[in-house]
Amino acid sequence: QVQLMESGGNLLQPGGSLRLSCAASGSILRMYDMGWYRQAPGKQREPVATISSDGVAGYAASVKGRFTISRDNAKDTVYLQMNKLKPEDTAVYYCNRWGALWRWGQGTQVTVSS
C-alpha cells in the first residue's frame, strides 16, 4: 500500500508564499498523474492542481495564477508552490494520485491569517 507524505505547511500572513512537498513510500510517484487537494474546515476535499506524469499541469480556477504544481521525477517528489496566499486558502493540503486514489496521507496544514 502506498504511503503518501505531505510536508511544508505553516501559518502565514495573507500575501505570503509557501511550498508544499509530497513524497511516497517506494519510487512510484513518477509513474502517475498526481494531484494536490485541500480540505477546509466544514468543506469537502477538493482538487486544486494536477500534473501528468510528463509534466502537464492543470489548476482549479480559485488558484490559477497563484499556485504552481511541479514534479521532480529524479527525487520522486511533487511540489505545490503557493503564492499570494489568501485566508480562503486555509486548509489541510493533501497529495494523491489523480484518478484512482490511493489511501490518503495525513496532509499538511496551511493557515493563512493576519
Side-chain angles (χ1 to χ4, degrees):
Q1 181 67 275
V2 176
Q3 286 187 302
L4 294 163
M5 295 160 283
E6 302 91 350
S7 61
N10 211 334
L11 167 65
L12 65 168
Q13 294 186 338
S17 296
L18 203 58
R19 189 176 81 159
L20 306 182
S21 299
C22 169
S25 56
S27 298
I28 63 167
L29 295 187
R30 68 194 69 189
M31 297 188 289
Y32 296 100
D33 299 346
M34 294 294 297
W36 279 98
Y37 305 76
R38 67 185 180 188
Q39 187 167 21
K43 295 188 176 181
Q44 287 191 333
R45 191 174 289 158
E46 62 176 359
V48 295
T50 63
I51 188 165
S52 68
S53 57
D54 57 355
V56 178
Y59 301 94
S62 59
V63 306
K64 197 168 186 179
R66 300 188 298 120
F67 290 12
T68 302
I69 189 171
S70 62
R71 65 194 309 159
D72 184 338
N73 286 341
K75 295 182 178 180
D76 206 45
T77 302
V78 179
Y79 302 101
L80 185 68
Q81 177 67 43
M82 305 187 294
N83 298 328
K84 300 179 182 178
L85 281 159
K86 304 176 182 180
E88 51 263 44
D89 295 318
T90 294
V92 179
Y93 283 73
Y94 303 86
C95 66
N96 209 319
R97 182 178 174 184
W98 182 251
L101 295 171
W102 293 316
R103 180 183 296 174
W104 293 99
Q106 293 196 340
T108 187
Q109 176 71 49
V110 175
T111 302
V112 185
S113 174
S114 54

